[in-house]
Amino acid sequence: MNRSKITKFTVDIPSSIRPLSMTRASPSRWSTAEFRFYYLVFMFAIPLMVWLPIPLSMPSHSNYQSFRDRLTPGWMFGRPIDNSDAQYSSFRNNIPLLTLAAIAQLSAKFLWTRLTPKSSTDLIPFNIIFSIFAIIGLHGANIIKIGVILGLNYAIAKQFCRSGTASKLGPILTWTFNAAALFGSEIYQGCPFSSISKHLAFLDSFQGVYPGWHVTFNITMLRLISFNMDYYWSRDPREESKGNNERLSTEKERQSVPHPAETYSFGNYLAYVLYTPLYIGGPIMTFNDFMWQQRRPLTITGSAIRSYALRFVICLLTMESILHFMYVVAIKDTRAWLGYTPGEISMVGFWNLIIVWLKLLIPWRFFRLWALLDGVDPPENMVRCMGNNYSTLGFWRSWHRSYNLWVIRYIYIPLGGKRNSFVNIVIVFSFVALWHDLTFRLLAWGWLIALFIVPEVVAQLLLPASKYEKQWWYRHICAVGGVVNVLMMMSANLVGFVIGLEGVRYFVHELLFTIRGVQCFAVIVFCLFVGVQVMFEYREEELRNGICRRC
């Protein structure tokens, strides 16, 4: 394989391209004896990792009956499918409906552009009208609740964030109101009309195809805050002059450069917050970015869309294959891992994490593909495969990237950024955890992530690359650190999104406090060391091709 083509496996992001003169890369190691040995390890390790969960998912396995009821008829080779993950199954089961919705929206837009003057901003009324009908179909009468929240949030922006009154009161009210709306809707399960007044109870019968409007409101909340804060900052006279920039060639510029005051109108606000392709699950765009793309549409080539669509299909089929041959979600949910070997237990955890990655990546790429077809380019949410991460900081730059960009812009930097780095990281991940769900498990996950970032930051201070990267041992010390990072990140995400604290305790006991477990753990650490070395070289290859993804 042409080494330069290896980098094509990772999806492109606009900010990753650098002139070759700006990148520093070491000579290629792909053909060295060291890496030939690594290839040999890969030849044995990868097939074994794939194979280990498969016998556990066979009807002949003694634990199969424990989770058989969670399986449903599949379509691959006569095997059942493990469609028991509620979050992913809700998307998977509705792919046909979502596809029809995308076709309807794109077709309606095509007709609209033929009937109206050719101006990019003419799409704002179309987006508003279509979005309102789409949300009525999706949430039924609950659109009234959404409308009330949107109206109150807009009133806060215009009353407390406008020119002449811009003060800290605007952001404080914005955050307080949206936090109350988010947590209130979650605690009261969408606040049924009957709980407001018995005279409104009849509205509860108009539910739409997806009554749980509060489930997706956490995404909507991010847009509400984005509008208010972008408007608030745009009223700063020092920022207003930036809007005269005609280039706006980068994603970062579109996010940060403000618009004229009249752009922050109620119509544009509705079009942004309710934009159909991204309404349900993102990716998240800032108001500034969305409106710059409305005012100055980007050129999105057909080849780029076809390539992205192919990536989506490959990921979808990969997920289907995993769910048909590895019933690790059902095993995890029924705790059917009792009696498994340490190696089998570790692979149940690993493949559950792969499924977590895919179950988020697939919907995000579906909605982003829809937006690309509509002429809007939102940030890519998943830059790298979950298994291609060794840095805790880099992992969070590439995982749910649009959310990471949002958090940096609206929380981390306003709190002082690197000036109060650790405190801000704790605050950020506490918010991230509570934003996902009001549970102690996720709060523990957030604190673990904040804690696990510390060793990497300390190591960077003690062993800076600028001073030691030419030393022969530096890469290997970094690889050891990468192994530690991988183990910590896997542990934290198993706690937060897979098996919780109790499950992780059991896994740790089996891996570290039994003879077979210690032997297995030693093999895992060795394989991770090899994997991290290959990850290093993959990123060096990216640099040789003028690509710097910073993750």
Side-chain angles (χ1 to χ4, degrees):
M1 180 185 293
N2 186 337
R3 301 301 180 195
S4 65
K5 300 298 183 183
I6 291 177
T7 59
K8 299 294 185 182
F9 288 131
T10 302
V11 66
D12 287 329
I13 55 176
S15 58
S16 66
I17 306 302
R18 301 282 192 280
L20 289 175
S21 59
M22 293 178 60
T23 61
R24 295 184 305 163
S26 61
S28 175
R29 296 187 178 90
W30 293 117
S31 300
T32 62
E34 176 190 354
F35 271 75
R36 289 195 178 100
F37 172 70
Y38 294 161
Y39 303 152
L40 192 63
V41 174
F42 266 60
M43 286 174 59
F44 285 95
I46 299 299
L48 183 62
M49 291 170 67
V50 173
W51 171 250
L52 276 176
I54 294 177
L56 307 178
S57 306
M58 295 292 188
S60 57
H61 194 277
S62 58
N63 290 9
Y64 183 82
Q65 299 303 319
S66 301
F67 56 83
R68 184 184 65 176
D69 292 343
R70 290 181 172 265
L71 308 180
T72 52
W75 60 273
M76 281 188 172
F77 307 104
R79 287 184 60 86
I81 185 172
D82 182 0
N83 195 31
S84 59
D85 184 280
Q87 184 179 16
Y88 182 69
S89 66
S90 66
F91 171 79
R92 181 181 182 272
N93 297 343
N94 286 294
I95 288 177
L97 183 61
L98 289 168
T99 302
L100 288 175
I103 292 171
Q105 188 264 344
L106 295 170
S107 300
K109 177 189 173 182
F110 176 81
L111 293 175
W112 181 278
T113 56
R114 292 297 179 272
L115 298 173
T116 58
K118 294 185 180 297
S119 169
S120 58
T121 53
D122 286 335
L123 290 174
I124 294 296
F126 166 77
N127 285 330
I128 295 171
I129 294 168
F130 191 91
S131 295
I132 289 173
F133 279 106
I135 292 173
I136 291 173
L138 189 66
H139 298 316
N142 289 311
I143 193 174
I144 298 172
K145 302 169 192 173
I146 297 170
V148 169
I149 294 172
L150 265 61
L152 291 173
N153 184 74
Y154 184 78
I156 290 172
K158 289 299 179 177
Q159 185 63 36
F160 298 100
C161 298
R162 56 192 171 87
S163 180
T165 63
S167 68
K168 292 184 179 179
L169 184 59
I172 290 171
L173 288 176
T174 293
W175 277 95
T176 302
F177 170 74
N178 280 281
L182 175 66
F183 298 144
S185 64
E186 178 68 22
I187 292 169
Y188 294 102
Q189 292 295 295
C191 195
F193 285 102
S194 58
S195 67
I196 301 172
S197 169
K198 63 180 181 179
H199 301 295
L200 299 176
F202 72 96
L203 291 172
D204 287 327
S205 60
F206 301 98
Q207 293 290 313
V209 297
Y210 188 72
W213 68 274
H214 60 288
V215 176
T216 59
F217 180 73
N218 58 349
I219 298 289
T220 303
M221 168 209 172
L222 301 181
R223 299 190 191 102
L224 300 184
I225 291 175
S226 175
F227 174 84
N228 284 25
M229 295 306 298
D230 283 1
Y231 179 60
Y232 173 77
W233 287 323
S234 75
R235 299 304 86 214
D236 186 335
R238 294 170 297 179
E239 296 291 321
E240 289 181 343
S241 61
K242 294 181 181 179
N244 297 323
N245 186 347
E246 293 295 326
R247 290 177 63 250
L248 293 174
S249 57
T250 69
E251 182 181 71
K252 186 175 181 179
E253 287 176 337
R254 294 195 305 271
Q255 291 173 356
S256 59
V257 175
H259 297 271
E262 60 271 17
T263 304
Y264 298 87
S265 65
F266 188 66
N268 291 340
Y269 169 70
L270 285 181
Y272 162 66
V273 173
L274 304 180
Y275 180 58
T276 305
L278 306 181
Y279 173 78
I280 295 175
I284 302 149
M285 296 181 71
T286 66
F287 176 80
N288 283 348
D289 187 7
F290 179 80
M291 284 309 303
W292 279 122
Q293 293 197 42
Q294 297 299 310
R295 295 175 63 192
R296 302 173 188 174
L298 303 178
T299 300
I300 304 173
T301 64
S303 61
I305 292 175
R306 288 191 295 272
S307 173
Y308 197 77
L310 179 61
R311 285 181 182 274
F312 168 75
V313 171
I314 291 172
C315 291
L316 181 62
L317 292 177
T318 300
M319 182 65 145
E320 289 293 299
S321 299
I322 292 172
L323 296 181
H324 277 84
F325 288 92
M326 302 178 187
Y327 303 146
V328 292
V329 175
I331 291 170
K332 174 259 297 183
D333 289 340
T334 58
R335 296 182 177 268
W337 56 62
L338 296 177
Y340 287 0
T341 67
E344 291 169 340
I345 290 173
S346 64
M347 286 302 101
V348 168
F350 174 79
W351 285 103
N352 264 291
L353 289 176
I354 290 291
I355 288 172
V356 169
W357 171 65
L358 282 170
K359 79 173 184 179
L360 297 174
L361 175 145
I362 290 169
W364 284 336
R365 288 202 171 166
F366 176 90
F367 294 126
R368 183 169 186 258
L369 177 61
W370 182 355
L372 290 173
L373 290 166
D374 193 41
V376 175
D377 186 2
E380 168 61 37
N381 261 348
M382 292 291 201
V383 179
R384 295 199 187 275
C385 172
M386 190 215 76
N388 185 15
N389 288 278
Y390 62 85
S391 163
T392 308
L393 293 170
F395 176 79
W396 292 113
R397 290 192 190 106
S398 67
W399 179 283
H400 204 170
R401 177 172 167 269
S402 68
Y403 185 45
N404 175 64
L405 294 172
W406 187 96
V407 165
I408 290 172
R409 175 166 171 78
Y410 299 109
I411 302 179
Y412 185 70
I413 291 177
L415 288 176
K418 292 183 178 180
R419 286 180 297 171
N420 307 299
S421 185
F422 181 70
V423 173
N424 290 343
I425 287 172
V426 172
I427 294 172
V428 162
F429 279 103
S430 297
F431 168 79
V432 169
L434 295 174
W435 177 83
H436 278 90
D437 199 3
L438 293 175
T439 63
F440 175 75
R441 186 175 81 173
L442 277 177
L443 195 58
W445 165 83
W447 291 339
L448 281 174
I449 293 297
L451 179 64
F452 290 166
I453 286 175
V454 174
E456 182 173 346
V457 173
V458 172
Q460 289 176 347
L461 293 174
L462 295 177
L463 295 170
S466 58
K467 184 176 181 180
Y468 295 106
E469 66 179 347
K470 299 298 183 183
Q471 302 295 325
W472 68 268
W473 48 264
Y474 183 72
R475 174 167 57 93
H476 303 296
I477 293 294
C478 289
V480 172
V483 171
V484 174
N485 276 343
V486 170
L487 292 172
M488 290 192 299
M489 286 189 290
M490 290 182 69
S491 300
N493 285 303
L494 284 170
V495 168
F497 296 101
V498 182
I499 56 178
L501 284 168
E502 289 300 319
V504 168
R505 285 197 192 102
Y506 178 81
F507 275 32
V508 169
H509 178 269
E510 292 299 306
L511 279 173
L512 298 182
F513 295 96
T514 64
I515 298 298
R516 286 197 306 172
V518 171
Q519 293 170 341
C520 176
F521 185 70
V523 173
I524 289 172
V525 168
F526 170 73
C527 291
L528 285 175
F529 179 85
V530 171
V532 171
Q533 292 281 10
V534 175
M535 294 179 210
F536 287 168
E537 188 61 17
Y538 185 88
R539 285 155 179 78
E540 290 295 310
E541 186 66 29
E542 289 179 336
L543 290 176
R544 295 179 197 117
N545 287 273
I547 301 170
C548 180
R549 293 190 171 101
R550 298 183 66 245
C551 59

